[in-house]
Amino acid sequence: MSFIQTELGAALVVLIVGFLPNEVWRVLGVLFGRRIDEDGLWMQWVRAVATALLAAVVARLLLVPNGALVALPFWLRAGSVVMGLGGFLAFRRSVLAGVLAAEALLVAGAWWLGVGG
């Protein structure tokens, strides 16, 4: 049995190939991030792009769902988006609250409709 096939070998491969390359970028991000002006033009652009990407993902999940969302009707998916936005705004712009509110409505709606397992 070669070293790679052992549990220790597999753990080392994951550490070397998966963890360390990502950690280098995290450390560099922390070091260079301290000097970035949060209200600068560059950060405004980054926030705008991030917001646009998030809106595109939500629109795709709503209009062209895949996986388990295909079985749920449009009105339930749209209602969960509205519920998520309400949770986000109700809890001081908390993304976690918005996601939990939307997910709660999706799960409750799927259960009520008898969709899924």
Side-chain angles (χ1 to χ4, degrees):
M1 183 185 297
S2 72
F3 178 71
I4 297 291
Q5 293 175 334
T6 65
E7 287 184 30
L8 178 60
L12 285 175
V13 167
V14 167
L15 180 70
I16 292 169
V17 175
F19 174 74
L20 290 178
N22 289 318
E23 197 59 28
V24 169
W25 294 110
R26 289 175 189 237
V27 170
L28 288 174
V30 168
L31 292 176
F32 291 122
R34 293 179 183 166
R35 294 185 224 139
I36 294 176
D37 178 22
E38 291 183 27
D39 296 322
L41 188 59
W42 172 251
M43 286 306 293
Q44 289 177 4
W45 181 81
V46 168
R47 273 193 293 273
V49 169
T51 302
L53 286 171
L54 178 61
V57 168
V58 170
R60 180 162 172 78
L61 289 172
L62 179 64
L63 300 173
V64 189
N66 60 6
L69 287 177
V70 171
L72 299 177
F74 175 78
W75 61 266
L76 181 58
R77 295 190 313 265
S80 70
V81 170
V82 172
M83 179 74 106
L85 182 61
F88 172 77
L89 295 174
F91 290 94
R92 297 186 217 170
R93 300 176 59 100
S94 169
V95 174
L96 178 63
V99 169
L100 291 177
E103 187 67 25
L105 182 61
L106 277 177
V107 170
W111 176 79
W112 184 67
L113 293 172
V115 176

